[in-house]
Amino acid sequence: MAALAYNLGKREINHYFSVKSAKVLALVAVLLLVAGHLASRRYRGNDSCEYLLSSGRFLGEKVWQPHSCMMHKYKISEAKSCLIDKHIAFIGDSRIRQLFYSFVKIINPQFKEEGNKHENIPFEDKIASVKVDFLWHPEVNGSMKQCIKVWTEDSVAKPHVIVAGAATWSIKIHNGSSEALSQYKMNITSIAPLLEKLAKTSDVYWVLQDPVYEDLLSENRKMITNEKIDAYNEAAVSILNSSTRNSKSNVKMFSVSKLIAQETIMESLDGLHLPESSRQTSAMILMNVYCNKILKPVDGSCCQPRPPLTLIQKLAACFFTSSIIGYLIFYIIHRNIHRKNKPSTDLESGEEKKNIINISVSPLEILLQSFCKLGLIMAYFYMCDRANLFMKENKFYTHSSFFIPIIYILVLGVFYNENTKETKVLNREQTDEWKGWMQLVILIYHISGASTFLPVYMHIRVLVAAYLFQTGYGHFSYFWIKGDFGIHRVCQVLFRLNFLVVVLCIVMDRPYQFYYFVPLVTVWFMVIYVTLALWPQIIQKKANGNCFWHFGLLLKLAFLLFCICFLAYSQGAFEKIFSLWPVSKCFELKGNVYEWWFRWRLDRYVVFHGMLFAFIYLALQKRQVLSEGKGEPLFSNKVSNFLLFISVVSFLTYSIWASNCKNKAACNELHPSVSVVQILAFILIRNIPGYARSVYSSFFAWFGKISLELFICQYHIWLAADTRGILVLIPGSPMLNIIVSTFIFVCVAHEISQITNDLAQIIIPKDNSSLLKRLACIAAFFCGLLILSSIQDKSRH
């Protein structure tokens, strides 16, 4: 009864919610979201700096998240690079002094808070030519006005950044009287034109007063109430944000510190001054406001303008636009022909005359349709991660944000289980299932920011290694069994692996190596192909006739292992090979190939392990050592139980070691040699019991079929800022945002997978003469791309 209900439930879900209907729903959602965000930008403005200075929330205890954009955490070298030859002035009371100290400590963490508090404090870094001054002016009065007035004179060097603010001293000295507030309004009114004049050439920020924790205030500060502070803030905002022409003031209001203080003022030592962590957050916000537009950090989207379109991007836009127009023309012509040849009724007989002409879809129309769809999808990619239309937020890791989704998808995976078509080790359904659940775990790992938690990081490294293990196993098995070393097979594999990445490199203006996994599997596929295709070509059919060929193949594998070891421990030789032009254009990142060497070296043995496993497994299978019937254990009961015990112990031992890992660098050194332990343990646990081989999760297998597209698409339409942040389609509701963005992301990945398959059939024909012509065209295309890329690089420099 339970099994019947289970099957009926799945049937009902599949009946009412198909992939096609899901994609239509995703398209409608995208159109509504684009319209909503465009309207919001028009109504609220498109200035992420304003959001950074005025709004945000805490993720956890000390991680500040600005509204709609990402904040970069500046290092010492970055801060000095941004502020070279700059002069920054802080003018105000003790709270501004605190902000000054926190700002200076970003440049020089050793700078100490010492000296007379009620006087000016200078700081200068002579190497970077950075000058930061604190000017003690605790009240908005004639003294502060005179200091600011001096900077407005043409003969005086003006600070590049001015941060000012004061009010609590006026409340304290005048015992919170209304006359003091009136005088404050008069003084700030007289200073406002001077600040406005300075704001034309310098960045001027007025810091609003933070709330106090009244219970902790000393007796001589009891008059500084939050009600008084709010009144002074309202006065400052109303005066500084107005002008004679009623236009927006150039003086920027630094009001975000109020929000920060509301959450942290309880940790204050005296109820007036903020704890150090809050001051550091405010100082980092100031650094982001000024430096993001200069250094343009990837994970600092606040205050960054949209990057200008490159020549290649403009040409790509023209190509996709032409494809859309071309497809629409084809579609209209097709509809007209269909109408003309529509079955008509014979008036005399009353019967329909059937069409004689059969309308078939031409390859050109399929090509245009595919590029039309791809163009629309790429427009969505660009809007998500380059156009600043949608919002972006920083990642924040918690154990619950990683492990709860893992449990959720595990339950779904178990719910959707079916019988396999075959019960061989690592059959197609099983490998798709394996890719699927690994990809889902990796996606959760990326969006939750779990790389900061070392035990999770080490286990995810095994999953990446397992993908490469499958690369070695799958391609070796194909070449060994089929013996097909033809150019068509190579081109098909290379096209399917690289098509999406090449398009994204063009549209998103990113280097090929940025999508590191695709270069990795591409190079390893070519390594496997060259190893087996070079003379003497040894395949299973040939080896069955003479065992000597098995020995020959082992020699080939041994030579491959030697080459891997040599390149792994000879960085210079590796870099020389991949630094040759034009190969270097594919493998350079930030001007060198170190990142590529690091990625390759991290999983250098696992593809070899996959090839060796495939060789041993197929040899045992050929000699009928294995029992792969339905429900049968792989070996005899004693051997199966022993291997299962060893596998479980090995699996758990690796997990314990990875969970106790203290140093990422040291663990990464051991990873290439030991990752295969957990991979082999999993394969044996999954395949030795006959009942385990006979079932698979269709839920995981579905995702496994589009795992490559999921891995690549996440960079721009699920994550944001090149994986550093999270895409926000629905602000203010993190859970709903994840549900909607994930739904659209999966639909897009599935559609791209279908487009890639359709294009592969057309662009990579089976006829060798046609294929060679297409390859010549593809080579010409890449030559043109290299030339344009070189021109772009020269213009940038």
Side-chain angles (χ1 to χ4, degrees):
M1 195 70 184
L4 179 62
Y6 164 79
N7 288 323
L8 286 173
K10 285 200 296 184
R11 199 176 302 162
E12 284 293 312
I13 292 170
N14 293 333
H15 176 72
Y16 289 106
F17 196 72
S18 65
V19 173
K20 188 175 180 179
S21 61
K23 289 177 183 176
V24 172
L25 187 59
L27 177 61
V28 172
V30 168
L31 294 175
L32 290 174
L33 288 167
V34 169
H37 279 268
L38 285 172
S40 175
R41 296 278 174 172
R42 188 177 180 84
Y43 176 73
R44 298 182 61 185
N46 193 26
D47 187 1
S48 59
C49 275
E50 191 174 327
Y51 293 139
L52 177 61
L53 290 169
S54 62
S55 57
R57 69 184 192 278
F58 272 105
L59 303 175
E61 293 182 0
K62 297 180 181 179
V63 180
W64 182 253
Q65 173 59 60
H67 175 71
S68 87
C69 61
M70 295 168 61
M71 195 169 78
H72 177 65
K73 188 173 182 179
Y74 277 89
K75 299 175 184 175
I76 299 169
S77 59
E78 292 173 322
K80 288 182 177 180
S81 175
C82 167
L83 300 175
I84 190 168
D85 295 327
K86 296 295 186 295
H87 178 203
I88 297 95
F90 289 79
I91 177 170
D93 55 16
S94 57
R95 287 176 158 187
I96 299 296
R97 184 180 64 237
Q98 282 189 309
L99 187 56
F100 158 79
Y101 277 125
S102 296
F103 188 87
V104 169
K105 284 181 179 179
I106 299 174
I107 306 166
N108 181 7
Q110 280 73 44
F111 189 71
K112 294 181 180 179
E113 301 182 25
E114 57 187 13
N116 191 340
K117 293 182 178 180
H118 297 170
E119 64 180 19
N120 299 342
I121 305 171
F123 167 80
E124 186 174 4
D125 189 307
K126 294 182 179 179
I127 298 173
S129 298
V130 179
K131 187 180 179 184
V132 187
D133 291 325
F134 168 71
L135 305 175
W136 173 250
H137 290 281
E139 288 191 87
V140 180
N141 55 19
S143 175
M144 179 184 281
K145 179 180 178 180
Q146 185 58 36
C147 176
I148 294 171
K149 189 176 181 180
V150 171
W151 289 330
T152 61
E153 297 173 3
D154 294 334
S155 59
V156 178
K158 303 172 183 63
H160 298 88
V161 181
I162 299 166
V163 182
T168 54
W169 270 68
S170 297
I171 300 172
K172 177 183 173 183
I173 292 172
H174 301 285
N175 201 29
S177 66
S178 57
E179 292 80 4
L181 178 58
S182 300
Q183 187 62 44
Y184 178 83
K185 290 179 180 178
M186 291 174 59
N187 290 337
I188 204 167
T189 302
S190 66
I191 288 175
L194 300 175
L195 291 174
E196 192 67 31
K197 187 177 180 180
L198 281 172
K200 293 178 181 178
T201 55
S202 304
D203 286 0
V204 180
Y205 304 95
W206 186 266
V207 181
L208 296 183
Q209 293 299 301
D210 303 326
V212 295
Y213 192 52
E214 296 179 12
D215 294 345
L216 284 179
L217 292 173
S218 59
E219 285 301 321
N220 63 339
R221 290 174 175 167
K222 287 292 184 181
M223 71 291 296
I224 308 175
T225 64
N226 287 321
E227 185 181 353
K228 294 291 182 184
I229 284 174
D230 288 341
Y232 276 73
N233 282 338
E234 287 174 12
V237 171
S238 63
I239 294 166
L240 291 174
N241 264 349
S242 65
S243 68
T244 55
R245 295 184 182 179
N246 291 323
S247 61
K248 191 175 180 181
S249 172
N250 290 320
V251 177
K252 301 175 180 71
M253 306 304 297
F254 192 85
S255 58
V256 69
S257 59
K258 290 197 307 175
L259 297 177
I260 297 169
Q262 286 171 4
E263 300 291 332
T264 60
I265 192 65
M266 291 78 73
E267 300 170 22
S268 171
L269 296 176
D270 58 7
L272 179 67
H273 299 98
L274 294 177
E276 188 174 358
S277 62
S278 303
R279 290 184 279 140
Q280 288 172 349
T281 301
S282 294
M284 196 59 73
I285 289 172
L286 277 175
M287 191 69 74
N288 273 259
V289 170
Y290 187 76
C291 291
N292 281 4
K293 57 182 174 288
I294 298 172
L295 297 186
K296 296 180 173 62
V298 174
D299 60 341
S301 64
C302 301
C303 300
Q304 275 204 53
R306 181 179 63 82
L309 287 171
T310 65
L311 176 60
I312 293 175
Q313 286 176 311
K314 290 176 182 176
L315 291 172
C318 291
F319 171 79
F320 284 123
T321 303
S322 302
S323 298
I324 293 169
I325 295 169
Y327 174 67
L328 289 175
I329 292 169
F330 258 86
Y331 179 76
I332 292 167
I333 293 170
H334 180 83
R335 285 292 298 271
N336 288 335
I337 294 172
H338 181 71
R339 283 175 184 172
K340 288 178 182 178
N341 295 294
K342 193 175 180 181
S344 57
T345 305
D346 191 328
L347 295 176
E348 293 182 5
S349 64
E351 295 179 356
E352 286 189 348
K353 292 180 180 178
K354 294 189 178 179
N355 259 334
I356 300 171
I357 302 169
N358 288 321
I359 302 170
S360 60
V361 181
S362 67
L364 179 59
E365 188 171 356
I366 295 172
L367 199 67
L368 287 172
Q369 184 185 41
S370 297
F371 281 124
C372 175
K373 291 179 182 177
L374 190 64
L376 295 173
I377 290 170
M378 287 302 112
Y380 178 65
F381 270 75
Y382 188 85
M383 285 189 291
C384 286
D385 211 17
R386 289 294 178 272
N388 293 335
L389 174 65
F390 299 122
M391 302 175 181
K392 303 174 179 67
E393 288 189 355
N394 296 90
K395 299 176 186 178
F396 178 69
Y397 175 74
T398 60
H399 291 317
S400 60
S401 67
F402 177 74
F403 289 104
I404 290 176
I406 294 290
I407 295 169
Y408 179 70
I409 64 163
L410 180 64
V411 171
L412 280 175
V414 171
F415 178 75
Y416 282 92
N417 67 83
E418 296 179 14
N419 293 327
T420 57
K421 293 176 182 177
E422 56 179 353
T423 55
K424 292 181 180 178
V425 173
L426 293 179
N427 56 67
R428 183 59 184 268
E429 288 96 343
Q430 191 184 127
T431 53
D432 283 340
E433 174 203 85
W434 192 7
K435 289 177 184 176
W437 71 256
M438 287 196 302
Q439 186 57 64
L440 291 175
V441 171
I442 289 171
L443 290 174
I444 294 167
Y445 164 82
H446 281 153
I447 203 165
S448 64
S451 58
T452 56
F453 187 47
L454 195 53
V456 172
Y457 167 81
M458 291 308 301
H459 282 86
I460 296 299
R461 288 265 25 109
V462 175
L463 299 190
V464 176
Y467 267 106
L468 294 171
F469 181 93
Q470 286 195 48
T471 297
Y473 172 84
H475 291 306
F476 178 92
S477 299
Y478 178 86
F479 290 128
W480 177 249
I481 296 170
K482 301 283 187 181
D484 177 12
F485 296 101
I487 191 171
H488 177 262
R489 164 71 181 178
V490 176
C491 291
Q492 280 275 340
V493 172
L494 293 179
F495 183 86
R496 290 175 188 275
L497 287 176
N498 292 276
F499 172 71
L500 176 58
V501 165
V502 170
V503 173
L504 286 177
C505 288
I506 293 169
V507 173
M508 306 303 289
D509 189 29
R510 280 294 171 264
Y512 180 63
Q513 182 55 35
F514 175 74
Y515 307 93
Y516 74 93
F517 184 74
V518 171
L520 208 55
V521 292
T522 299
V523 167
W524 278 117
F525 167 72
M526 291 307 299
V527 167
I528 296 165
Y529 175 77
V530 170
T531 301
L532 298 176
L534 282 179
W535 183 90
Q537 285 186 3
I538 306 171
I539 61 174
Q540 190 180 58
K541 189 175 180 181
K542 184 187 288 186
N544 288 339
N546 190 340
C547 290
F548 172 78
W549 291 114
H550 285 96
F551 179 71
L553 181 65
L554 289 173
L555 284 178
K556 275 191 170 188
L557 293 178
F559 180 72
L560 173 61
L561 181 60
F562 169 78
C563 293
I564 291 169
C565 293
F566 173 75
L567 291 175
Y569 294 101
S570 180
Q571 185 179 350
F574 185 94
E575 291 186 352
K576 280 181 181 178
I577 293 170
F578 289 98
S579 294
L580 296 171
W581 193 90
V583 175
S584 60
K585 293 294 293 182
C586 295
F587 298 100
E588 280 184 353
L589 197 63
K590 298 179 181 177
N592 60 68
V593 296
Y594 173 78
E595 180 73 15
W596 166 237
W597 180 76
F598 171 77
R599 294 285 187 184
W600 177 86
R601 193 171 181 268
L602 202 55
D603 294 298
R604 57 188 179 270
Y605 299 127
V606 74
V607 174
F608 171 81
H609 290 145
M611 296 170 69
L612 188 61
F613 176 83
F615 173 73
I616 295 170
Y617 162 67
L618 292 171
L620 292 175
Q621 187 188 59
K622 197 68 181 175
R623 282 159 180 73
Q624 298 182 344
V625 174
L626 308 175
S627 301
E628 294 183 302
K630 190 170 184 178
E632 296 179 2
L634 201 59
F635 304 97
S636 64
N637 288 332
K638 288 184 178 179
V639 174
S640 294
N641 291 336
F642 174 75
L643 288 176
L644 273 176
F645 175 76
I646 295 296
S647 299
V648 171
V649 170
S650 300
F651 192 91
L652 294 176
T653 301
Y654 180 90
S655 291
I656 292 167
W657 170 77
S659 299
N660 291 299
C661 211
K662 303 296 181 186
N663 187 311
K664 184 180 283 189
C667 291
N668 279 341
E669 278 296 316
L670 285 173
H671 168 77
S673 303
V674 299
S675 60
V676 70
V677 172
Q678 201 164 39
I679 294 169
L680 290 176
F682 170 78
I683 291 171
L684 292 176
I685 293 169
R686 182 71 178 82
N687 286 277
I688 286 177
Y691 60 85
R693 281 198 324 278
S694 302
V695 295
Y696 77 105
S697 168
S698 57
F699 174 78
F700 290 141
W702 189 88
F703 285 98
K705 291 172 183 176
I706 58 169
S707 60
L708 183 66
E709 287 76 17
L710 288 171
F711 187 87
I712 299 166
C713 289
Q714 67 169 321
Y715 279 70
H716 303 295
I717 62 168
W718 197 51
L719 304 175
D722 297 339
T723 74
R724 307 294 180 86
I726 298 170
L727 179 67
V728 179
L729 300 177
I730 303 176
S733 180
M735 185 59 68
L736 181 61
N737 175 67
I738 288 293
I739 293 169
V740 173
S741 64
T742 302
F743 174 68
I744 296 170
F745 157 60
V746 172
C747 289
V748 168
H750 189 273
E751 185 61 33
I752 289 176
S753 176
Q754 290 188 333
I755 290 170
T756 305
N757 289 333
D758 291 341
L759 290 175
Q761 302 301 320
I762 298 171
I763 296 174
I764 312 295
K766 292 183 179 180
D767 178 55
N768 280 339
S769 61
S770 300
L771 179 57
L772 290 173
K773 290 176 185 177
R774 301 280 170 85
L775 290 178
C777 294
I778 292 170
F781 167 76
F782 279 109
C783 286
L785 200 60
L786 281 172
I787 293 168
L788 290 174
S789 179
S790 299
I791 293 169
Q792 277 185 186
D793 290 343
K794 286 179 181 178
S795 63
R796 282 172 179 170
H797 293 123

